[in-house]
Amino acid sequence: MREIITLQLGNLSNYVANHFWNAQESYFTYSEQDSSPVDHNIHWRTGLGSDGSDTFLPRTVIYDLKGGFGTLKKINALYEDASQVSASSTWGGPSAVHKQEALHPSAYQQSLDAGTEAPRLTKSSVRYWSDFSRVYYHPKSLVQLYDYELNSTIMPFERHSMGIELFHSLDKEHDIVDRDWRPFVEECDQMQGMQVLSTIDDAWGGFASSYVEALRDEYPKTCIWLWGIQNPILSAPRDKRQLRLANTAQALTRTREHASIMVPLAVPEGDLPSSIGLDASSSWHSSALLATAVETASLPSRLKQQSTSKTASLSDMAESLNVAGNQTLATMKMTVGPKAAPSDDDGLNISLSRLGLMKPQTRSRDPRVFGLLSVYRGTKIDTEEDEAQDAKAKRRIIGNTVIQRYTTDLGFPSLDSFPSIYTDKTEDDSRMNVRATVSTDDSIVEQMRTLRSHVTWSVGPDERETLSNDLAEMADAYHDDWSSGSDEDDDDL
């Protein structure tokens, strides 16, 4: 059934994934006349609830720190948590119960449970990513790590090495892949791949790199997409910015050999178009922008085969980007709203794949693109033009850009759980036009050079040479050797 299993690591990544799952839930149809263009079996698993009723829940494993889940509990309206064992059954002596003050569900959650009209969400009313969740999760999907606490000032979970150490300590005790991941794989008939959403500029980057390496050892031929989320950086103190850059570089270099495609994502700070009203300090806001891009770019992997749209597997999409076999790092751009066009590459006005402090460079030429994956969703387009583009994409010539274009009239859903960050959208618009592109191009050479100049002096001497060489090796894969118009100083990397 072409199943995809999702791995969510870290608080901001769970914000992004929550928007993603809310969108998937909105595609369900409940009348015989309506048919959804999305194949729900790809991202959702069937099962039986505690009362024997049928359930349809996300195929995902979610990790967060103590306090990160908010009011979300393993016990819900569909499932009881069978892993909870009463203390009295294992201890014969006297016991004392200590309870932390319970968090109250958000007004939005209470309205969903009561079946009443949901109040309008605001930045202040969204305290946790679970405050705007519209879906239930299986108890096995929720894994809370008690070793660290969310937003702790005493022992913050912020260094790449801390994530590596935490993974290996937990894996030594439990075998994480076997305990948390394998049950979801065993339910699949024909798994097409895995998608990982993780922050890469904090300790979760180390946790993710170790987890992806373990997955690759267990499933050597399975496609793995990594969406590498980065926190807003300009508002952080200088030492924190430096640490985040070093974490990002380490996460990318440690994961490049195991992930099929890595797409680093960050909200542009100060360079957003006027049609987007976004507060980068709000995780609810910034994650909504990133979720729009992730959900759109990955849409072909879960569409049903129809005459109005073309489908693809995660492997197909990865192969169209990783043309040379060593180009696993990709960049991403997007346009949302009326200005989104099926094939207007110059109209993509939101660049999401900046690495740390990397700013757009003034280039004497257009970047050399090796592979391009373009997804347009929204108002129907000229089918003849779409067919011509498909035919051109199939005629691959060595040295030419590999282009894969996908179009569908299924717009991005405008839900009451989604913030009003797209200012040119009217209240009557239930779906929005979006165009997202993922590409491998030689602009990554400049990004690697800039990242190396920012981080290699800030890591220890034992690690400095290895990190510098790894970044240089990543950049080498994007040098356009046959082009005479290469940028100056490319030999520096």
PDB file of all heavy atoms in Angstrom, residues 45 47-55 57 74-82 137-139:
ATOM      1  N   ARG A  45      -2.812   4.332   9.849  1.00  0.00           N
ATOM      2  CA  ARG A  45      -2.894   2.908  10.161  1.00  0.00           C
ATOM      3  C   ARG A  45      -4.271   2.579  10.730  1.00  0.00           C
ATOM      4  O   ARG A  45      -4.874   3.364  11.464  1.00  0.00           O
ATOM      5  CB  ARG A  45      -1.814   2.506  11.168  1.00  0.00           C
ATOM      6  CG  ARG A  45      -1.903   3.294  12.481  1.00  0.00           C
ATOM      7  CD  ARG A  45      -0.858   2.846  13.487  1.00  0.00           C
ATOM      8  NE  ARG A  45      -1.039   1.476  13.890  1.00  0.00           N
ATOM      9  CZ  ARG A  45      -1.910   1.101  14.822  1.00  0.00           C
ATOM     10  NH1 ARG A  45      -2.678   1.994  15.433  1.00  0.00           N
ATOM     11  NH2 ARG A  45      -2.005  -0.166  15.146  1.00  0.00           N
ATOM     12  N   GLY A  47      -6.796   0.104  13.045  1.00  0.00           N
ATOM     13  CA  GLY A  47      -6.676  -0.661  14.274  1.00  0.00           C
ATOM     14  C   GLY A  47      -8.010  -0.749  14.988  1.00  0.00           C
ATOM     15  O   GLY A  47      -9.049  -0.356  14.458  1.00  0.00           O
ATOM     16  N   LEU A  48      -7.951  -1.277  16.200  1.00  0.00           N
ATOM     17  CA  LEU A  48      -9.139  -1.396  17.032  1.00  0.00           C
ATOM     18  C   LEU A  48      -8.921  -0.638  18.331  1.00  0.00           C
ATOM     19  O   LEU A  48      -7.873  -0.776  18.975  1.00  0.00           O
ATOM     20  CB  LEU A  48      -9.451  -2.865  17.340  1.00  0.00           C
ATOM     21  CG  LEU A  48      -9.908  -3.735  16.175  1.00  0.00           C
ATOM     22  CD1 LEU A  48     -10.051  -5.180  16.624  1.00  0.00           C
ATOM     23  CD2 LEU A  48     -11.228  -3.220  15.614  1.00  0.00           C
ATOM     24  N   GLY A  49      -9.886   0.183  18.708  1.00  0.00           N
ATOM     25  CA  GLY A  49      -9.818   0.923  19.950  1.00  0.00           C
ATOM     26  C   GLY A  49     -10.101   0.026  21.138  1.00  0.00           C
ATOM     27  O   GLY A  49     -10.401  -1.170  21.003  1.00  0.00           O
ATOM     28  N   SER A  50     -10.008   0.594  22.337  1.00  0.00           N
ATOM     29  CA  SER A  50     -10.230  -0.187  23.558  1.00  0.00           C
ATOM     30  C   SER A  50     -11.662  -0.696  23.665  1.00  0.00           C
ATOM     31  O   SER A  50     -11.932  -1.673  24.369  1.00  0.00           O
ATOM     32  CB  SER A  50      -9.903   0.674  24.783  1.00  0.00           C
ATOM     33  OG  SER A  50     -10.666   1.879  24.766  1.00  0.00           O
ATOM     34  N   ASP A  51     -12.604  -0.061  22.953  1.00  0.00           N
ATOM     35  CA  ASP A  51     -13.997  -0.507  22.979  1.00  0.00           C
ATOM     36  C   ASP A  51     -14.344  -1.390  21.782  1.00  0.00           C
ATOM     37  O   ASP A  51     -15.510  -1.723  21.569  1.00  0.00           O
ATOM     38  CB  ASP A  51     -14.936   0.700  23.018  1.00  0.00           C
ATOM     39  CG  ASP A  51     -14.778   1.601  21.796  1.00  0.00           C
ATOM     40  OD1 ASP A  51     -13.823   1.376  21.007  1.00  0.00           O
ATOM     41  OD2 ASP A  51     -15.586   2.537  21.640  1.00  0.00           O
ATOM     42  N   GLY A  52     -13.325  -1.760  20.990  1.00  0.00           N
ATOM     43  CA  GLY A  52     -13.555  -2.624  19.838  1.00  0.00           C
ATOM     44  C   GLY A  52     -13.908  -1.892  18.561  1.00  0.00           C
ATOM     45  O   GLY A  52     -14.103  -2.534  17.515  1.00  0.00           O
ATOM     46  N   SER A  53     -13.979  -0.562  18.590  1.00  0.00           N
ATOM     47  CA  SER A  53     -14.322   0.201  17.392  1.00  0.00           C
ATOM     48  C   SER A  53     -13.100   0.371  16.489  1.00  0.00           C
ATOM     49  O   SER A  53     -11.958   0.326  16.945  1.00  0.00           O
ATOM     50  CB  SER A  53     -14.881   1.577  17.781  1.00  0.00           C
ATOM     51  OG  SER A  53     -13.911   2.305  18.517  1.00  0.00           O
ATOM     52  N   ASP A  54     -13.370   0.546  15.192  1.00  0.00           N
ATOM     53  CA  ASP A  54     -12.290   0.752  14.228  1.00  0.00           C
ATOM     54  C   ASP A  54     -11.646   2.120  14.444  1.00  0.00           C
ATOM     55  O   ASP A  54     -12.325   3.104  14.767  1.00  0.00           O
ATOM     56  CB  ASP A  54     -12.826   0.667  12.800  1.00  0.00           C
ATOM     57  CG  ASP A  54     -13.307  -0.733  12.450  1.00  0.00           C
ATOM     58  OD1 ASP A  54     -12.774  -1.684  13.035  1.00  0.00           O
ATOM     59  OD2 ASP A  54     -14.211  -0.852  11.602  1.00  0.00           O
ATOM     60  N   THR A  55     -10.321   2.159  14.270  1.00  0.00           N
ATOM     61  CA  THR A  55      -9.596   3.432  14.399  1.00  0.00           C
ATOM     62  C   THR A  55      -8.726   3.654  13.169  1.00  0.00           C
ATOM     63  O   THR A  55      -8.367   2.717  12.467  1.00  0.00           O
ATOM     64  CB  THR A  55      -8.687   3.429  15.643  1.00  0.00           C
ATOM     65  OG1 THR A  55      -7.700   2.393  15.511  1.00  0.00           O
ATOM     66  CG2 THR A  55      -9.484   3.196  16.913  1.00  0.00           C
ATOM     67  N   LEU A  57      -5.375   6.001  12.669  1.00  0.00           N
ATOM     68  CA  LEU A  57      -4.460   6.891  13.377  1.00  0.00           C
ATOM     69  C   LEU A  57      -3.154   7.044  12.597  1.00  0.00           C
ATOM     70  O   LEU A  57      -2.787   6.191  11.790  1.00  0.00           O
ATOM     71  CB  LEU A  57      -4.161   6.338  14.776  1.00  0.00           C
ATOM     72  CG  LEU A  57      -5.370   6.076  15.675  1.00  0.00           C
ATOM     73  CD1 LEU A  57      -4.922   5.466  16.992  1.00  0.00           C
ATOM     74  CD2 LEU A  57      -6.151   7.356  15.910  1.00  0.00           C
ATOM     75  N   LYS A  74      -1.369   9.614  26.795  1.00  0.00           N
ATOM     76  CA  LYS A  74      -1.451   8.347  26.094  1.00  0.00           C
ATOM     77  C   LYS A  74      -2.853   7.756  26.162  1.00  0.00           C
ATOM     78  O   LYS A  74      -3.280   7.027  25.275  1.00  0.00           O
ATOM     79  CB  LYS A  74      -0.444   7.353  26.681  1.00  0.00           C
ATOM     80  CG  LYS A  74       1.002   7.668  26.321  1.00  0.00           C
ATOM     81  CD  LYS A  74       1.897   6.471  26.551  1.00  0.00           C
ATOM     82  CE  LYS A  74       3.295   6.742  26.015  1.00  0.00           C
ATOM     83  NZ  LYS A  74       4.138   5.513  26.012  1.00  0.00           N
ATOM     84  N   ILE A  75      -3.571   8.063  27.228  1.00  0.00           N
ATOM     85  CA  ILE A  75      -4.959   7.626  27.341  1.00  0.00           C
ATOM     86  C   ILE A  75      -5.832   8.651  26.624  1.00  0.00           C
ATOM     87  O   ILE A  75      -5.786   9.837  26.920  1.00  0.00           O
ATOM     88  CB  ILE A  75      -5.383   7.514  28.805  1.00  0.00           C
ATOM     89  CG1 ILE A  75      -4.503   6.501  29.547  1.00  0.00           C
ATOM     90  CG2 ILE A  75      -6.847   7.114  28.920  1.00  0.00           C
ATOM     91  CD1 ILE A  75      -4.765   6.430  31.023  1.00  0.00           C
ATOM     92  N   ASN A  76      -6.614   8.197  25.640  1.00  0.00           N
ATOM     93  CA  ASN A  76      -7.506   9.109  24.930  1.00  0.00           C
ATOM     94  C   ASN A  76      -8.848   8.427  24.696  1.00  0.00           C
ATOM     95  O   ASN A  76      -9.105   7.341  25.216  1.00  0.00           O
ATOM     96  CB  ASN A  76      -6.871   9.570  23.609  1.00  0.00           C
ATOM     97  CG  ASN A  76      -6.484   8.412  22.697  1.00  0.00           C
ATOM     98  OD1 ASN A  76      -7.279   7.515  22.462  1.00  0.00           O
ATOM     99  ND2 ASN A  76      -5.245   8.439  22.192  1.00  0.00           N
ATOM    100  N   ALA A  77      -9.698   9.068  23.915  1.00  0.00           N
ATOM    101  CA  ALA A  77     -11.051   8.543  23.707  1.00  0.00           C
ATOM    102  C   ALA A  77     -11.058   7.218  22.960  1.00  0.00           C
ATOM    103  O   ALA A  77     -12.056   6.493  22.992  1.00  0.00           O
ATOM    104  CB  ALA A  77     -11.880   9.573  22.935  1.00  0.00           C
ATOM    105  N   LEU A  78      -9.938   6.866  22.302  1.00  0.00           N
ATOM    106  CA  LEU A  78      -9.890   5.637  21.513  1.00  0.00           C
ATOM    107  C   LEU A  78      -9.086   4.528  22.176  1.00  0.00           C
ATOM    108  O   LEU A  78      -9.359   3.358  21.973  1.00  0.00           O
ATOM    109  CB  LEU A  78      -9.294   5.931  20.133  1.00  0.00           C
ATOM    110  CG  LEU A  78     -10.024   6.969  19.270  1.00  0.00           C
ATOM    111  CD1 LEU A  78      -9.300   7.142  17.948  1.00  0.00           C
ATOM    112  CD2 LEU A  78     -11.467   6.567  19.039  1.00  0.00           C
ATOM    113  N   TYR A  79      -8.048   4.912  22.946  1.00  0.00           N
ATOM    114  CA  TYR A  79      -7.146   3.909  23.496  1.00  0.00           C
ATOM    115  C   TYR A  79      -6.845   4.197  24.959  1.00  0.00           C
ATOM    116  O   TYR A  79      -6.736   5.352  25.363  1.00  0.00           O
ATOM    117  CB  TYR A  79      -5.820   3.886  22.733  1.00  0.00           C
ATOM    118  CG  TYR A  79      -5.876   3.180  21.410  1.00  0.00           C
ATOM    119  CD1 TYR A  79      -6.186   3.874  20.245  1.00  0.00           C
ATOM    120  CD2 TYR A  79      -5.629   1.813  21.325  1.00  0.00           C
ATOM    121  CE1 TYR A  79      -6.237   3.224  19.022  1.00  0.00           C
ATOM    122  CE2 TYR A  79      -5.670   1.152  20.109  1.00  0.00           C
ATOM    123  CZ  TYR A  79      -5.975   1.861  18.957  1.00  0.00           C
ATOM    124  OH  TYR A  79      -6.026   1.220  17.764  1.00  0.00           O
ATOM    125  N   GLU A  80      -6.667   3.114  25.711  1.00  0.00           N
ATOM    126  CA  GLU A  80      -6.101   3.200  27.041  1.00  0.00           C
ATOM    127  C   GLU A  80      -4.636   2.832  26.955  1.00  0.00           C
ATOM    128  O   GLU A  80      -4.216   2.088  26.069  1.00  0.00           O
ATOM    129  CB  GLU A  80      -6.829   2.249  28.004  1.00  0.00           C
ATOM    130  CG  GLU A  80      -8.291   2.599  28.226  1.00  0.00           C
ATOM    131  CD  GLU A  80      -8.968   1.591  29.137  1.00  0.00           C
ATOM    132  OE1 GLU A  80      -8.309   0.601  29.507  1.00  0.00           O
ATOM    133  OE2 GLU A  80     -10.148   1.792  29.457  1.00  0.00           O
ATOM    134  N   ASP A  81      -3.832   3.334  27.855  1.00  0.00           N
ATOM    135  CA  ASP A  81      -2.398   3.051  27.856  1.00  0.00           C
ATOM    136  C   ASP A  81      -2.131   1.763  28.618  1.00  0.00           C
ATOM    137  O   ASP A  81      -2.081   1.749  29.840  1.00  0.00           O
ATOM    138  CB  ASP A  81      -1.625   4.225  28.478  1.00  0.00           C
ATOM    139  CG  ASP A  81      -0.128   3.995  28.426  1.00  0.00           C
ATOM    140  OD1 ASP A  81       0.301   3.102  27.662  1.00  0.00           O
ATOM    141  OD2 ASP A  81       0.594   4.704  29.136  1.00  0.00           O
ATOM    142  N   ALA A  82      -1.949   0.663  27.878  1.00  0.00           N
ATOM    143  CA  ALA A  82      -1.759  -0.644  28.500  1.00  0.00           C
ATOM    144  C   ALA A  82      -0.415  -0.772  29.195  1.00  0.00           C
ATOM    145  O   ALA A  82      -0.204  -1.692  29.988  1.00  0.00           O
ATOM    146  CB  ALA A  82      -1.885  -1.742  27.437  1.00  0.00           C
ATOM    147  N   TYR A 137      -3.661  10.029  18.596  1.00  0.00           N
ATOM    148  CA  TYR A 137      -2.472   9.233  18.322  1.00  0.00           C
ATOM    149  C   TYR A 137      -2.550   7.917  19.091  1.00  0.00           C
ATOM    150  O   TYR A 137      -3.135   7.844  20.179  1.00  0.00           O
ATOM    151  CB  TYR A 137      -1.204   9.976  18.737  1.00  0.00           C
ATOM    152  CG  TYR A 137      -0.949  11.246  17.956  1.00  0.00           C
ATOM    153  CD1 TYR A 137      -1.312  12.486  18.475  1.00  0.00           C
ATOM    154  CD2 TYR A 137      -0.341  11.200  16.703  1.00  0.00           C
ATOM    155  CE1 TYR A 137      -1.076  13.650  17.762  1.00  0.00           C
ATOM    156  CE2 TYR A 137      -0.099  12.364  15.989  1.00  0.00           C
ATOM    157  CZ  TYR A 137      -0.480  13.582  16.511  1.00  0.00           C
ATOM    158  OH  TYR A 137      -0.248  14.735  15.807  1.00  0.00           O
ATOM    159  N   HIS A 138      -1.954   6.893  18.523  1.00  0.00           N
ATOM    160  CA  HIS A 138      -1.855   5.624  19.233  1.00  0.00           C
ATOM    161  C   HIS A 138      -0.899   5.799  20.411  1.00  0.00           C
ATOM    162  O   HIS A 138       0.095   6.526  20.310  1.00  0.00           O
ATOM    163  CB  HIS A 138      -1.325   4.539  18.295  1.00  0.00           C
ATOM    164  CG  HIS A 138      -1.452   3.158  18.845  1.00  0.00           C
ATOM    165  ND1 HIS A 138      -0.549   2.637  19.762  1.00  0.00           N
ATOM    166  CD2 HIS A 138      -2.373   2.174  18.627  1.00  0.00           C
ATOM    167  CE1 HIS A 138      -0.909   1.411  20.083  1.00  0.00           C
ATOM    168  NE2 HIS A 138      -2.003   1.095  19.418  1.00  0.00           N
ATOM    169  N   PRO A 139      -1.165   5.146  21.546  1.00  0.00           N
ATOM    170  CA  PRO A 139      -0.257   5.288  22.695  1.00  0.00           C
ATOM    171  C   PRO A 139       1.195   4.964  22.373  1.00  0.00           C
ATOM    172  O   PRO A 139       2.111   5.570  22.930  1.00  0.00           O
ATOM    173  CB  PRO A 139      -0.842   4.293  23.712  1.00  0.00           C
ATOM    174  CG  PRO A 139      -2.296   4.228  23.374  1.00  0.00           C
ATOM    175  CD  PRO A 139      -2.374   4.373  21.888  1.00  0.00           C
TER     176      PRO A 139
END
